[in-house]
Every structure is written in structure tokens, then in C-alpha cells.
């Protein structure tokens, strides 16, 4: 009996000494739609890769673990491993990341990717965010570049935008709208349908897939394909969690990020269908002539100096794209 008791006690001690297999929580920012949502393509590929390589990753539906600010706090404190988040989240820690969304600054997504990788801007972003407990794993494309959605006013010229009241994500976006001649009002995403239907806002800027995924097609009537900026969000991770991984598990996570990155970029190559999807849903797709796009570009240029970035960050972005 004593031997058995001793054996059981020793076995229990060994079990307690073994490291627990911790769940890697991945907080989603969109419905789980692999056809329309680029951020879900990234998150799902990342989670699947971890699961296939012995790590326990679980997806949590949008806002199940809190809204943007709450998820940022959880990530920085090590309570949430990975979150698909907005630029504003990391921008609170270091504004360098705001450069990714400067309107009409990048020729296309390939130029942005070049700036992040070869130009060293992702590393520079993390130099600012990791001391605050947040690692930016990747810049993630939601879909094709952003354009202007409106409920009542079709935007066929630069001047048509004047006076339209747009839903804004933050003060920076309000500044963009005002520079283009419109007005902005900050509305949380959960309140957007009500704002659009009641006239509080007459439109928003987003990638083409958004009204299709979020059920806005009954009140959005027009989409003007300005390609004003790359439609990006971020995949962030807890720095405490990341640094606490074994070398083997950290390699798996890094490889999962690469797999997710590649899947996200591949997703973009087949997105032209979304314009037909918009038309089928009753939303008119408007292509602007080059002379009208040039007006938007010219109006946008002064904004770059006012983006809330650390000293030297704008020059770093310009150098990263060879300007």
C-alpha cells in the first residue's frame, strides 16, 4: 500500500511538473467568411497551421473577447494571444503604423509590402510596440483597396464628395474627409447600420466586400472605386506570450504567420469578382476617370505631414518606397 501510495504521489508530481498545453486564442474581427474576408483567411490559415503542428489554436468570433480597446489591453497584458485588430490599436502604442493607411501614398499593395519587408518598416513598427507588450505579426489585407460607399449621393467626380457626411473611424479619417471637401462623424462599427439608415452618416470608406459581408446592401446604393488606400488591418500578438514560447513553438508560430501572409496575398488575386457581387446586390460600381482620381491625390498630399507619427517616421516611409 505504501509503495502504491508513493508511486501515485510521484506520478502526480510528474504530471504537475509537465508544462500545460495552453490554448492559443485567436480573436476574429469579421464573420468567418473565406470567400469575402481577407482577415478571416489570414486568421483561419494561421490557426489551422498551429493546430496541424501540435499547438491548440481556437478561433473566437468577432467581439466575443471584447471590442478593439479591450482586446488591445488583453494582448498587452498577456491575457489574449492573438487578435485581428485595427490600426488604431497599435497606433496608440506607436504611430508609425498609421503610415500604412495614408491615402494615395502607395502605388499598390506590392509597394506597401516592399516598404514593410525590404524597407524595414514592420521592424520599425515593432520597435515601438513590443516594449508595450504588443507584437505586430503582420499587416493584413481585408480585400481590394478601399473606395467610397454612399447611400444617396453617387460620387462621379471629386466635387460630388463635397458636403457628404461620412462615417469616420477616428479623427484622422475625419481630417481626410474634410480635406476632400466632405464631413465626418465618428460612429462605432456596431452602430453603422443605424447611422446609415437614419442619415446620421451618408456613407463610409471601406474595401468592396464590406456591405456584402455585414449585410448593408439594402441601404448602400453606390460604390466609387477610388482605390484610395490599401484596406489593411493588423494581426497582433502578446509579446509576453511570443517570447515565452519554446524555440520550437516560436518557429511554428513564425511559420504560421508566413503561411497566413501568403494565403492572404493569394486571396487578393481573385477578388475582381467582388465588383460583380456588388452589382448583383443592387450597388452601382462607379469607376472614376484619371483626372478625377488626380484631384483626390493632389488634395491628399498635405495630409501626410499631419499624420500622428513619431518624428522621422514619415521620412522613413518615404525612404522605404524610394521617394
Amino acid at each position: 500500500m505504501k509503495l502504491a501510495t508513493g508511486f501515485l504521489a510521484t506520478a502526480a508530481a510528474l504530471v504537475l511538473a509537465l508544462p500545460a498545453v495552453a490554448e492559443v486564442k485567436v480573436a476574429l474581427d469579421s464573420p468567418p467568411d473565406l470567400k469575402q474576408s481577407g482577415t478571416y483567411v489570414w486568421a483561419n490559415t494561421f490557426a489551422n497551421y498551429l493546430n496541424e503542428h501540435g499547438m491548440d489554436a481556437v478561433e473566437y468570433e468577432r467581439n466575443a473577447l471584447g471590442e478593439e480597446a479591450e482586446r488591445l489591453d488583453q494582448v498587452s497584458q498577456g491575457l489574449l494571444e492573438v487578435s485581428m485588430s485595427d490600426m488604431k490599436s497599435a497606433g496608440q502604442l506607436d504611430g508609425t503604423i498609421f503610415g500604412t493607411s495614408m491615402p494615395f501614398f502607395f502605388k499598390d499593395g506590392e509597394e506597401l509590402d516592399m516598404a514593410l519587408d525590404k524597407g524595414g518598416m514592420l521592424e520599425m513598427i515593432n520597435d515601438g510596440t513590443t516594449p508595450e507588450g504588443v507584437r505586430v505579426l503582420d499587416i493584413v489585407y481585408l480585400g481590394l483597396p478601399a473606395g467610397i460607399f454612399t447611400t444617396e449621393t453617387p460620387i462621379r467626380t471629386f466635387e460630388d464628395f463635397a458636403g457628404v457626411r461620412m462615417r469616420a473611424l477616428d479623427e484622422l479619417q475625419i481630417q481626410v474627409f474634410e480635406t476632400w471637401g466632405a464631413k465626418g462623424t465618428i460612429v462605432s462599427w456596431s452602430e453603422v447600420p443605424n447611422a446609415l439608415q437614419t442619415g446620421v452618416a451618408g456613407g463610409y470608406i471601406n474595401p468592396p466586400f464590406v456591405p456584402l459581408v455585414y449585410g448593408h446592401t439594402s441601404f448602400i446604393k453606390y460604390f466609387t472605386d477610388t482605390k484610395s488606400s490599401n484596406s489593411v488591418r493588423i494581426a497582433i500578438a502578446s509579446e509576453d506570450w511570443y517570447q515565452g514560447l519554446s524555440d520550437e513553438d516560436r518557429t511554428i508560430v513564425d511559420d504560421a504567420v508566413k503561411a497566413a501572409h501568403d494565403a492572404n496575398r493569394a486571396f487578393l488575386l481573385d477578388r475582381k469578382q467582388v465588383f460583380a457581387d456588388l452589382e448583383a446586390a443592387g450597388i452601382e460600381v462607379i469607376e472614376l476617370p484619371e483626372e478625377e482620381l488626380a484631384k483626390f491625390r493632389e488634395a491628399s498630399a498635405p495630409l501626410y505631414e499631419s499624420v500622428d507619427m513619431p518624428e522621422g517616421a514619415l521620412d522613413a516611409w518615404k525612404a522605404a518606397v524610394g521617394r
Side-chain angles (χ1 to χ4, degrees), residues 104-112 145 227 230 321 323:
F104 296 105
F105 184 81
F106 301 98
K107 294 177 185 176
D108 50 32
E110 289 184 6
E111 187 172 71
L112 173 56
K227 297 181 176 66
N230 292 301
V321 295
R323 293 182 198 161

Side-chain angles (χ1 to χ4, degrees), residues 3-227:
L3 285 173
T5 302
F7 175 79
L8 291 173
T10 301
L14 288 171
V15 170
L16 290 173
L18 291 173
V21 179
E23 175 184 283
V24 179
K25 298 181 291 296
V26 180
L28 304 180
D29 65 341
S30 79
D33 189 334
L34 290 171
K35 178 183 177 183
Q36 299 287 1
S37 173
T39 56
Y40 184 64
V41 168
W42 194 102
N44 183 253
T45 302
F46 176 81
N48 285 344
Y49 190 98
L50 295 189
N51 285 322
E52 290 165 3
H53 290 80
M55 297 181 72
D56 182 22
V58 178
E59 298 174 9
Y60 284 81
E61 66 181 33
R62 182 174 178 269
N63 293 341
L65 300 179
E67 297 197 8
E68 295 285 356
E70 295 170 286
R71 297 203 307 275
L72 176 66
D73 285 344
Q74 291 173 46
V75 169
S76 65
Q77 295 173 38
L79 302 175
L80 171 59
E81 289 75 28
V82 177
S83 175
M84 309 305 294
S85 293
D86 63 6
M87 289 293 166
K88 187 177 179 181
S89 295
Q92 293 176 33
L93 309 177
D94 186 279
T96 303
I97 200 167
F98 289 142
T100 61
S101 298
M102 292 186 292
F104 296 105
F105 184 81
F106 301 98
K107 294 177 185 176
D108 50 32
E110 289 184 6
E111 187 172 71
L112 173 56
D113 279 347
M114 179 189 71
L116 291 165
D117 183 13
K118 294 181 180 178
M121 293 309 297
L122 183 59
E123 182 179 355
M124 184 174 177
I125 289 166
N126 274 309
D127 285 344
T129 63
T130 53
E132 304 297 329
V134 175
R135 173 170 291 269
V136 178
L137 297 173
D138 198 8
I139 306 299
V140 183
Y141 290 83
L142 290 88
L144 294 178
I148 302 170
F149 285 100
T150 49
T151 56
E152 296 181 0
T153 305
I155 310 302
R156 305 185 193 279
T157 68
F158 177 76
E159 289 74 19
D160 288 340
F161 199 57
V164 178
R165 188 175 181 87
M166 298 287 290
R167 176 263 174 175
L169 172 66
D170 50 29
E171 292 292 342
L172 177 61
Q173 202 167 52
I174 286 180
Q175 188 176 0
V176 172
F177 294 149
E178 290 177 347
T179 300
W180 293 348
K183 298 178 182 179
T185 180
I186 296 176
V187 179
S188 68
W189 187 245
S190 61
E191 294 298 321
V192 163
N194 184 60
L196 294 175
Q197 292 178 88
T198 60
V200 170
Y204 53 55
I205 284 189
N206 263 311
F209 79 91
V210 166
L212 299 170
V213 170
Y214 290 95
H216 299 169
T217 55
S218 62
F219 36 89
I220 290 288
K221 299 301 178 188
Y222 305 99
F223 174 69
T224 302
D225 188 23
T226 56
K227 297 181 176 66

Side-chain angles (χ1 to χ4, degrees), residues 279-296:
E279 295 277 9
I283 297 174
E284 180 183 350
V285 176
I286 301 168
E287 298 288 342
L288 291 183
E290 179 56 35
E291 57 268 26
E292 295 301 327
L293 288 172
K295 294 177 184 178
F296 278 99

Side-chain angles (χ1 to χ4, degrees), residues 310-322:
E311 184 176 355
L314 178 58
D315 290 338
W317 278 112
K318 289 179 178 178
V321 295

